[in-house]
Amino acid sequence: MSLLKPLPRSFYERPTIDVARGLLGMVLEHEGRQGIITEVEAYPPYDDPAAHSYRGLTQRTRVLFGPGGFSYIYLIYGIHECLNVSCEPDGTPGCVLIRSLDFVSGPGRLTKAMGITRNHYGLDLTSSSLRILQGQPPDSIRVTPRIGISQAKDRLLRFLAG
């Protein structure tokens, strides 16, 4: 059991970009494994064609339209599971993709290393076995376009510690 405290719901119920930047340096924990978040991508609500919520509420995206602070996990390329964090207030569908930890790079490798699967979809990140704990924000943040997407590629919504 970690001595670090989980981030509160209020952390997640803020604008997507603020949550994305704020996740850097925080600690992802799952079943005794921990890693410091070093890279994320923001997917703001409504006007982002790269966001899964862009086309509206579906069974797959339902967690994104609820309150912030829940896990949104999906399969990409038929082989890799990706961990996202819902954010924004209830009814506003923002999310942040966690791309890397201090010991593993790439969203598919991250979920594999942490033992995270689609079975963990919809977990409350403030109180479940999959949590994000208070850590140490980085001294600086680099900002680049997102990678691995085909739409809205030029938007500066990828954030990296250091």
Side-chain angles (χ1 to χ4, degrees), residues 25-138:
M26 300 303 110
V27 178
L28 178 65
E29 179 181 72
H30 183 242
E31 297 178 352
R33 301 173 200 156
Q34 291 186 341
I36 298 170
I37 299 171
T38 58
E39 179 185 354
V40 297
E41 286 181 351
Y43 290 86
Y46 305 122
D47 69 344
D48 185 356
H52 288 182
S53 63
Y54 183 70
R55 290 178 183 78
L57 178 64
T58 66
Q59 184 59 27
R60 178 184 181 189
T61 63
R62 66 184 160 72
V63 75
L64 299 179
F65 287 83
F70 288 82
S71 62
Y72 172 61
I73 302 166
Y74 61 88
L75 191 65
I76 189 168
Y77 308 129
I79 52 174
H80 298 296
E81 290 163 310
C82 296
L83 170 62
N84 291 254
V85 174
S86 68
C87 49
E88 302 274 349
D90 192 6
T92 304
C95 76
V96 176
L97 170 65
I98 301 179
R99 291 194 54 85
S100 70
L101 302 175
D102 58 329
F103 69 93
V104 63
S105 182
R109 289 186 201 106
L110 181 154
T111 53
K112 189 170 185 170
M114 295 293 287
I116 298 168
T117 70
R118 284 170 287 160
N119 292 330
H120 299 103
Y121 175 97
L123 293 181
D124 185 341
L125 299 172
T126 69
S127 63
S128 70
S129 64
L130 177 59
R131 307 183 301 169
I132 299 178
L133 309 173
Q134 295 174 354
Q136 181 65 43

